[in-house]
Amino acid sequence: AQSVTQLGSHVSVSEGALVLLRCNYSSSVPPYLFWYVQYPNQGLQLLLKYTSAATLVKGINGFEAEFKKSETSFHLTKPSAHMSDAAEYFCAVRNQAGTALIFGKGTTLSVSS
Amino acid sequence: ETGVTQTPRHLVMGMTNKKSLKCEQHLGHNAMYWYKQSAKKPLELMFVYNFKEQTENNSVPSRFSPECPNSSHLFLHLHTLQPEDSALYLCASSQSSLAVANTGELFFGEGSRLTVL
């Protein structure tokens, strides 16, 4: 069965520092992987997706993620954090039927000045 | 109005009450979803509807009863809930459920926060 594990429920960085949010996946088929962001009192919004094309995927707001099959990982990075990046981030994998997404527990990112 | 709209945003109910959550999408999509978001737990997929037909029920207790009268509206009828059912219930839509495989583009509403006393 498909699943994702997000390592670290809470990550704190200083403004301007590197952001690294970790996600490992398990999939019985070639995975389609996604990162979503949830700002307070809002729904989830797609940040970026991997659908078997380029392994380095660029998303909105300067985020990117690299698919590493050997490590079964899809970590999210941003070179320089901004205060507005403070939010909850969810990694997700397509389910086996290809009809829905399976989400991780989420990682809360805090950014301090 | 655009996007996915959920009402009510907040709901408090007793265990013997009957209430409903409503979701409406103005995106012309054909698939709609209910997810449950509890603290410290992954989002849980509850139901999937594709062209008004239920295509997935993720072993959800019968005290949750979905209804999809058309591709734009989705309801979640609630009755005899338990305190552990307190959570944020998120509705989402996509072009079709199979389109999720290609784009991953689920469009979410802001959620209905449910508290069961």
Side-chain angles (χ1 to χ4, degrees):
Chain A
Q2 271 69 350
S3 67
V4 290
T5 302
Q6 292 185 241
L7 302 173
S9 59
H10 199 148
V11 171
S12 297
V13 300
S14 299
E15 195 172 20
L18 171 72
V19 175
L20 171 60
L21 304 182
R22 299 177 187 274
C23 174
N24 288 91
Y25 70 89
S26 173
S27 179
S28 55
V29 297
Y32 282 17
L33 296 159
F34 310 88
W35 277 98
Y36 278 76
V37 60
Q38 184 179 31
Y39 298 102
N41 300 314
Q42 294 188 27
L44 279 70
Q45 176 185 358
L46 181 67
L47 262 182
L48 50 79
K49 61 189 179 188
Y50 167 76
T51 56
S52 77
T55 56
L56 182 62
V57 181
K58 295 187 184 298
I60 62 173
N61 301 335
F63 284 93
E64 61 182 37
E66 186 172 8
F67 172 71
K68 291 188 176 180
K69 185 177 179 180
S70 61
E71 298 177 10
T72 61
S73 69
F74 189 57
H75 302 329
L76 181 70
T77 60
K78 182 174 180 177
S80 176
H82 192 273
M83 297 292 286
S84 61
D85 295 326
E88 190 155 17
Y89 292 80
F90 294 91
C91 183
V93 64
R94 181 186 65 174
N95 68 352
Q96 191 160 357
T99 57
L101 299 185
I102 308 299
F103 288 85
K105 290 185 179 182
T107 298
T108 300
L109 175 66
S110 300
V111 182
S112 58
S113 56
Chain B
E1 193 170 351
T2 58
V4 180
T5 303
Q6 291 187 241
T7 55
R9 293 293 310 280
H10 299 273
L11 178 63
V12 179
M13 59 187 290
M15 289 191 285
T16 58
N17 291 159
K18 289 185 180 181
K19 297 286 185 183
S20 296
L21 306 181
K22 178 183 175 182
C23 177
E24 184 174 2
Q25 59 93 3
H26 304 271
L27 300 168
H29 290 165
N30 295 300
M32 298 188 78
Y33 310 74
W34 280 116
Y35 279 88
K36 176 183 178 183
Q37 185 178 20
S38 305
K40 309 302 181 188
K41 293 176 68 175
L43 271 75
E44 299 172 53
L45 177 66
M46 299 177 73
F47 302 103
V48 181
Y49 278 82
N50 197 37
F51 292 92
K52 301 188 299 178
E53 299 298 319
Q54 185 180 118
T55 56
E56 291 195 40
N57 176 339
N58 201 23
S59 302
V60 180
S62 60
R63 57 186 184 270
F64 295 92
S65 175
E67 178 190 2
C68 188
N70 55 61
S71 293
S72 299
H73 294 85
L74 183 64
F75 296 89
L76 189 62
H77 303 301
L78 316 168
H79 63 99
T80 60
L81 294 191
Q82 304 298 312
E84 60 264 29
D85 296 323
S86 299
L88 182 68
Y89 289 84
L90 290 165
C91 174
S93 71
S94 67
Q95 213 164 10
S96 73
S97 63
L98 290 178
V100 171
N102 295 322
T103 68
E105 191 76 68
L106 287 180
F107 292 80
F108 282 85
E110 294 179 334
S112 293
R113 183 159 299 282
L114 173 66
T115 302
V116 182
L117 302 176

